[in-house]
């Protein structure tokens, strides 16, 4: 013979199962915010791309035999802004960070040495480090 449970005892029996289900759902949420160890930081109200562009002052990549610094830049950052072409190319923005033409420019370095030619002329080599640095124009 079965003894009917009271309504309150049924609710108490469901409480742990409900709490467990809520906890599991919270743990499976699609939270895309970067963790504290992430190299890119962004606030909830600012797009991560905007945050990177705002703070970017240096951008590096490895050289490759047979490719120019400009070709590699355009591979690593397809949205890089360039005025002119080839030997006459002048980089004006990298990763969304535009140099202020009145006060800044993107300087090109190879292994921490200022390049002696432009990005479209600089043939890179395996093992080199190509770095673009946002620099101030000396007045």
């Amino acid at each position: 013979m079965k003894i009917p449970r009271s309504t309150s005892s049924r609710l108490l029996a469901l409480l742990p199962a409900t709490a467990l289900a809520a906890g599991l759902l919270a743990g499976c949420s699609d939270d895309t915010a970067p963790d504290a160890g992430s190299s890119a930081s962004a606030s909830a109200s600012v797009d991560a791309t905007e945050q990177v562009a705002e703070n970017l002052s240096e951008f590096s990549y490895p050289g490759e035999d047979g490719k120019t610094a400009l070709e590699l830049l355009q591979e690593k950052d397809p949205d890089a802004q360039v005025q002119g072409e080839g030997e006459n190319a002048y980089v004006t923005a990298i990763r969304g960070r535009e140099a202020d033409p009145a006060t800044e420019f993107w300087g090109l370095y190879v292994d921490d040495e200022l390049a002696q030619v432009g990005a479209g002329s600089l043939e890179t080599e395996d093992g080199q480090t190509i770095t673009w640095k946002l620099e101030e124009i000396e007045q």
Side-chain angles (χ1 to χ4, degrees):
M1 174 171 152
K2 285 189 171 182
I3 302 172
R5 292 185 184 181
S6 69
T7 304
S8 62
S9 66
R10 286 186 204 165
L11 289 175
L12 287 175
L14 288 175
L15 188 61
T18 304
L20 178 63
L24 288 173
L25 287 174
C28 294
S29 71
D30 184 23
D31 184 8
T32 58
D35 62 72
S38 177
S39 62
S41 63
S43 68
S45 63
V46 178
D47 183 326
T49 304
E50 290 174 20
Q51 184 76 19
V52 168
E54 186 178 296
N55 296 321
L56 184 72
S57 63
E58 202 169 288
F59 182 68
S60 296
Y61 49 86
E64 293 181 29
D65 286 340
K67 291 191 177 183
T68 67
L70 182 60
E71 289 172 318
L72 291 172
L73 173 63
Q74 291 174 322
E75 284 179 16
K76 305 296 181 191
D77 180 14
D79 296 325
Q81 294 178 16
V82 180
Q83 292 180 350
E85 295 180 7
E87 295 175 2
N88 297 319
Y90 182 74
V91 175
T92 60
I94 297 175
R95 295 278 175 155
R97 175 61 166 92
E98 191 169 347
D100 179 345
T103 60
E104 302 172 317
F105 68 97
W106 281 103
L108 175 60
Y109 290 79
V110 179
D111 296 330
D112 294 321
E113 297 282 330
L114 186 61
Q116 301 301 309
V117 297
S121 300
L122 179 64
E123 292 283 332
T124 68
E125 299 175 5
D126 289 345
Q128 290 179 325
T129 299
I130 310 304
T131 304
W132 292 89
K133 296 179 182 180
L134 189 63
E135 303 194 325
E136 290 188 25
I137 296 173
E138 294 182 19
Q139 303 284 332

